[in-house]
Amino acid sequence: MSTVAHAPAHEQLHRTATGVDNHKLGMWLFLASEVMFFTGLIGSYVVLRLGSKEWPDPSSILGVNVLALNTFILITSSVTMALGHQASEQGDHRKAASLLAVTAGLGLTFLTIKLLDYRHLVHEGFTITSSLFGSCYYLLTGFHGCHVLGGVVALLVLMARARGKNPPKPAAVESMGLYWHFVDLVWIVLFAILCLV
Amino acid sequence: MTDPITPPAAWAPPQGALGDRLKAWVRGPARKYLAIFGWLLLLTLIEVGATFFSMPKKTLAAFLIGTALVKALLVALYFMHLRHEVRLILAIVVLPMLIAVLFFFGLFPDIVVGPRAAP
């Protein structure tokens, strides 16, 4: 996408032919591909589940309370991310950096709990090869976990930049926020269909 | 594109005791996000609580999926600001979802008439 050719130099960074910031448009296009990716995975899970004669009760295998705690952590991280973007828009880069650090910390807490959950489940004999449900659970939550890990790395990079002399533009923080909220949104759906239903 | 959730740039943190400043912050720029956070938390508690009640499996599944969709919608509309986005962004989000749902329902005949897999 090209920027408007005749706009003054200082406006060319913001004005685009579509009226949408390039960072944001790029992130939404990426998220559109992610929607397809996760819908494919979730769709396969639903088809496998509905096509099976029997399916175990997830609450009898999974620690629902631990997974609910993880949901709470990820929802909280979405709030801190939104507030971080707000601080960045207000030009308070120090506050934005702190809120990005809190978001990354909550993401790491989520991953730690997830790994401990995996360890406990494997110890109990519930592995990726033990059943169809096991394969679906580890595949879906594993891919989601990879996305959280990627988000944490990006958050830490953005936080370091926000603390430096050349802080990121609010649009960059917003794009990061879009990705993080999407990861939260996917977990909300996974928690319900994989762990509760 | 302006973001109606974001308060005007003129907003400045008030001076005074930490409690007063926190109160002003919660009532000011953070209010909307904290309200959505409260709703998400409440819906999650309702979801988990519902699993402890004995109700028909299909009813429970429909309720839980419905609640999850409401939560996902809240995140998309308010945290991702889709509520105030331009048509281009809405098209970028909605089109792949429609295509994915179409593909998904395309597999349904396999479930209805196909052989049942082993658990």
Side-chain angles (χ1 to χ4, degrees):
Chain A
M1 193 185 59
S2 63
T3 53
V4 176
H6 303 295
H10 67 280
E11 285 183 18
Q12 280 193 4
L13 285 170
H14 305 288
R15 269 195 207 169
T16 58
T18 55
V20 182
D21 182 88
N22 286 339
H23 281 101
K24 199 162 135 179
L25 186 65
M27 181 50 78
W28 274 114
L29 286 169
F30 171 66
L31 291 183
S33 72
E34 290 285 88
V35 166
M36 296 289 280
F37 175 75
F38 276 106
T39 313
L41 279 177
I42 292 170
S44 308
Y45 163 71
V46 173
V47 168
L48 284 171
R49 181 164 178 173
L50 293 178
S52 297
K53 277 181 186 167
E54 288 172 16
W55 198 268
D57 178 14
S59 61
S60 65
I61 298 170
L62 309 172
V64 173
N65 292 338
V66 175
L67 296 168
L69 173 70
N70 251 358
T71 308
F72 169 74
I73 288 168
L74 221 50
I75 289 172
T76 310
S77 76
S78 257
V79 179
T80 55
M81 183 70 236
L83 294 174
H85 168 227
Q86 203 171 55
S88 171
E89 281 209 320
Q90 288 168 353
D92 192 346
H93 298 294
R94 212 176 143 194
K95 189 175 164 186
S98 303
L99 285 161
L100 290 174
V102 173
T103 310
L106 288 167
L108 278 175
T109 311
F110 175 90
L111 286 173
T112 308
I113 292 174
K114 196 87 227 95
L115 286 175
L116 290 173
D117 174 53
Y118 281 170
R119 197 177 147 194
H120 172 74
L121 289 173
V122 169
H123 185 71
E124 295 284 311
F126 182 69
T127 64
I128 196 164
T129 54
S130 60
S131 64
L132 202 51
F133 177 48
S135 305
C136 291
Y137 178 76
Y138 284 105
L139 196 74
L140 281 164
T141 57
F143 270 119
H144 176 264
C146 290
H147 280 75
V148 175
L149 184 64
V152 167
V153 172
L155 275 167
L156 291 173
V157 170
L158 208 62
M159 182 204 71
R161 279 184 58 202
R163 288 215 168 131
K165 287 176 184 171
N166 189 20
K169 292 183 180 67
V173 181
E174 186 182 13
S175 300
M176 181 64 238
L178 286 173
Y179 175 80
W180 194 257
H181 298 314
F182 176 77
V183 168
D184 178 26
L185 192 152
V186 170
W187 178 253
I188 283 171
V189 176
L190 287 183
F191 174 64
I193 64 156
L194 203 60
C195 312
L196 295 178
V197 177
Chain B
M1 168 92 204
T2 54
D3 173 19
I5 293 174
T6 309
W11 189 89
Q15 303 300 310
L18 182 67
D20 293 340
R21 277 187 285 160
L22 190 67
K23 214 181 277 179
W25 181 70
V26 168
R27 285 176 184 167
R31 198 179 71 176
K32 199 108 186 179
Y33 291 131
L34 292 178
I36 300 298
F37 173 65
W39 277 108
L40 290 172
L41 204 61
L42 181 71
L43 289 169
T44 305
L45 288 174
I46 290 171
E47 269 183 335
V48 176
T51 58
F52 291 102
F53 286 97
S54 55
M55 60 171 96
K57 235 178 172 180
K58 280 182 183 171
T59 312
L60 181 68
F63 175 75
L64 291 173
I65 290 168
T67 315
L69 289 179
V70 170
K71 283 165 68 184
L73 211 61
L74 282 174
V75 171
L77 290 179
Y78 292 96
F79 286 160
M80 298 173 89
H81 305 157
L82 263 185
R83 197 170 165 229
H84 309 287
E85 273 307 345
V86 292
R87 282 183 191 167
L88 175 71
I89 299 290
L90 290 175
I92 288 173
V93 180
V94 173
L95 276 175
M97 281 178 79
L98 283 178
I99 295 167
V101 168
L102 198 71
F103 287 162
F104 176 66
F105 279 105
L107 291 170
F108 256 66
D110 281 350
I111 303 166
V112 178
V113 298
R116 299 222 157 214

